[in-house]
Amino acid sequence: KYWLVGYLDPLEILKDLVEINTVNQPDKGVKPTIEAPIYIKNLLERLGFKVELIEREGYYSVFGSLGSGEPLMLFLAHYDTVPVNPSMWKYDPFKLTIVNGKAYGRGALDDKSNVAAIIAALNKVVSRGIKSGILCAFTGDEEIGGRRGAMVIRDLLAMRGLRPKYLINGDGHGMYIITRRRNAFKIEIKCKSIKEKMKGKRFKVKFEVRTPIYETRHAAYFMPGVDTHPMIAASYYLRINPKLKVVSINGDFLKSNVIPSWIEVEFLEPNENGEEVVIDEMLTKLLRSIIPIVRAPATPEMYSDYGVSITPNIYEFKDDTHKLIFDVRAMTSRKEALNPIKRAIEENLGEVEVNVYGGTGYLYTSRNSRLVLTACNVLEKINVEPIIVEMAGASDSRYFSPLGCLLYTSDAADDGESVDLG
């Protein structure tokens, strides 16, 4: 239904993809099914690509190749999405809705629009008679790190001796050219509850997210000094009221890289004439520790416009244990760079369990690379001002971009070039 005299309509593809639920939320046992990969596979096969479905631990990637021989270009995008909170949506998140030229639907921005755009672009490539040199991959686990998707594709290419000269990762928006993207780490703190009985007045305070400039919940976009993070705000509230104790915390905790839209903290103001309440001394210390932790001076190895950002986005209480997970963004691959954060944890919480995950790599491409200059030239030809930026998105590039990556040509002028196009 999409083929119109050599034209493949990306909006129709996007419509179909949005209607396929590809939410990725492993902590709730939710992962994308094989439905979207099969849909993408069928489209690519119609274009003449040889297509494989690659599965790792229940996550599917679609890998396509056009012709044979050494590939010139790899196109990359992901079809999985972050979870959905229906109460925050005006429209059905699983139905593409167009209003005033804007498309609404889960994945309409991140990242099904880029999947659709790449497939439509590949249709144009094929229609112009190009029959080889092109690879493409569409993965299903970018939102949880990419280890079962982009990393699998990278290792597959290395095993087969396929070394694409260039990588274009469609994982941005607004026609921006993304050349830098910080590494993503998770720091998990686990500590046992310490409960005590205390008399006083109990009350609840609700803290809500505020993003007055750019409406987003993604941790990579959080701007300290501009945006308000509910957990950080609650920590500050506790620090300026040092006599308060914490009874419990509840909130809209979705994912380690998604800022909760709200949290509610039950406090106790000590008073010998008040009611007897069970407070949690460790939870009180944990909440109070957030301020010094997010202000710890981590030491990146490469420059970033946004420095280092640290946000506490997941809190859980299970088996008498508190768990707090921080999302850390920094232009480094060295976990040692996070030692100042660990010291802040130790100073404020003592001996607690601390685990560091992630840190696969970062995107750092020269503004003067051939690929970036070509992208600028193409945009100018269609009367779009080229804007080269560092921003979120581009997550899966980290598997291909760092120095020493085996997938790029050894030609020093072009080695390791990757870029993300909106």
Side-chain angles (χ1 to χ4, degrees):
K1 65 181 180 179
Y2 312 121
W3 304 80
L4 307 173
V5 193
Y7 174 69
L8 187 60
D9 187 355
L11 195 60
E12 288 293 331
I13 300 174
L14 178 59
K15 175 179 177 294
D16 285 348
L17 287 173
V18 168
E19 290 178 1
I20 302 173
N21 185 338
T22 57
V23 164
N24 215 339
Q25 195 174 12
D27 59 318
K28 304 294 185 183
V30 176
K31 63 178 67 173
T33 68
I34 199 173
E35 183 179 359
I38 288 178
Y39 173 85
I40 295 169
K41 176 178 181 290
N42 291 338
L43 287 179
L44 292 175
E45 287 178 338
R46 292 184 66 177
L47 294 178
F49 278 75
K50 179 183 177 181
V51 187
E52 302 172 56
L53 288 182
I54 302 170
E55 183 270 340
R56 288 294 184 278
E57 299 177 27
Y59 292 89
Y60 293 89
S61 295
V62 185
F63 176 64
S65 58
L66 187 64
S68 59
E70 185 175 356
L72 174 67
M73 184 76 72
L74 168 64
F75 291 90
L76 182 68
H78 68 93
Y79 61 83
D80 63 318
T81 69
V82 296
V84 177
N85 182 347
S87 67
M88 303 291 289
W89 284 75
K90 183 177 180 180
Y91 306 105
D92 184 344
F94 298 110
K95 180 179 180 181
L96 190 68
T97 304
I98 310 296
V99 179
N100 297 326
K102 293 184 179 181
Y104 298 86
R106 175 50 83 215
L109 175 66
D110 181 17
D111 187 39
K112 293 178 178 180
S113 55
N114 284 304
V115 174
I118 287 175
I119 294 174
L122 292 175
N123 181 47
K124 288 189 175 182
V125 167
V126 171
S127 68
R128 292 180 182 180
I130 298 175
K131 297 181 180 180
S132 64
I134 304 296
L135 303 177
C136 61
F138 303 95
T139 64
D141 82 324
E142 189 271 351
E143 297 294 355
I144 59 169
R147 291 179 177 272
R148 304 167 191 85
M151 189 170 78
V152 171
I153 295 297
R154 179 199 67 186
D155 294 345
L156 176 70
L157 294 179
M159 180 183 68
R160 295 180 179 179
L162 298 175
R163 300 175 182 272
K165 195 170 186 179
Y166 301 107
L167 162 69
I168 293 181
N169 182 6
D171 192 4
H173 67 92
M175 301 298 283
Y176 298 132
I177 302 171
I178 306 173
T179 57
R180 291 200 303 262
R181 199 254 192 195
R182 296 170 296 170
N183 205 344
F185 298 88
K186 293 179 185 177
I187 296 183
E188 177 188 80
I189 301 173
K190 288 184 176 181
C191 45
K192 284 292 185 180
S193 174
I194 301 177
K195 295 180 180 179
E196 299 178 5
K197 292 182 179 180
M198 186 175 293
K199 290 184 177 181
K201 177 184 177 182
R202 60 198 301 174
F203 63 97
K204 294 180 180 180
V205 179
K206 188 173 184 179
F207 302 88
E208 297 182 326
V209 68
R210 290 188 65 251
T211 50
I213 306 301
Y214 182 56
E215 184 66 23
T216 181
R217 296 294 180 266
H218 199 295
Y221 291 101
F222 179 76
M223 291 297 295
V226 178
D227 301 327
T228 300
H229 191 296
M231 291 290 282
I232 299 175
S235 179
Y236 187 58
Y237 183 89
L238 185 59
R239 293 183 75 87
I240 63 174
N241 296 281
K243 293 182 179 180
L244 295 181
K245 301 295 182 180
V246 178
V247 178
S248 64
I249 297 176
N250 183 33
D252 182 33
F253 301 109
L254 292 177
K255 196 166 174 278
S256 63
N257 65 353
V258 176
I259 297 169
S261 58
W262 61 271
I263 72 163
E264 186 175 71
V265 183
E266 184 172 11
F267 294 103
L268 179 79
E269 184 177 7
N271 187 322
E272 285 299 322
N273 296 321
E275 65 174 310
E276 187 173 77
V277 178
V278 176
I279 61 98
D280 195 316
E281 189 62 42
M282 180 53 79
L283 182 56
T284 303
K285 291 175 64 177
L286 184 61
L287 186 59
R288 186 178 286 124
S289 73
I290 288 176
I291 288 292
I293 290 172
V294 299
R295 296 178 66 86
T299 52
E301 61 193 85
M302 301 290 284
Y303 172 78
S304 166
D305 288 345
Y306 302 103
V308 177
S309 64
I310 308 167
T311 52
N313 301 321
I314 290 290
Y315 166 76
E316 296 177 357
F317 183 66
K318 185 178 180 181
D319 298 330
D320 206 36
T321 299
H322 303 288
K323 181 167 72 173
L324 183 61
I325 301 178
F326 290 81
D327 178 279
V328 181
R329 306 282 162 152
M331 199 70 80
T332 184
S333 292
R334 299 181 299 107
K335 290 184 178 180
E336 293 79 7
L338 308 183
N339 284 342
I341 303 175
K342 291 183 177 180
R343 284 195 292 272
I345 295 171
E346 183 180 356
E347 286 286 336
N348 287 272
L349 295 173
E351 294 186 5
V352 296
E353 182 180 344
V354 179
N355 300 301
V356 179
Y357 305 101
T360 310
Y362 53 83
L363 171 63
Y364 200 100
T365 302
S366 169
R367 296 169 63 95
N368 297 318
S369 73
R370 186 179 302 175
L371 187 56
V372 174
L373 294 176
T374 300
C376 291
N377 183 48
V378 169
L379 289 174
E380 288 173 346
K381 286 182 178 180
I382 60 173
N383 297 317
V384 175
E385 178 187 0
I387 300 177
I388 302 172
V389 297
E390 172 188 344
M391 65 184 296
S395 175
D396 280 340
S397 296
R398 59 192 174 189
Y399 292 100
F400 301 89
S401 180
L403 293 178
C405 176
L406 299 177
L407 296 182
Y408 293 103
T409 173
S410 59
D411 180 356
D414 296 323
D415 188 39
E417 291 192 5
S418 61
V419 64
D420 289 76
L421 302 181

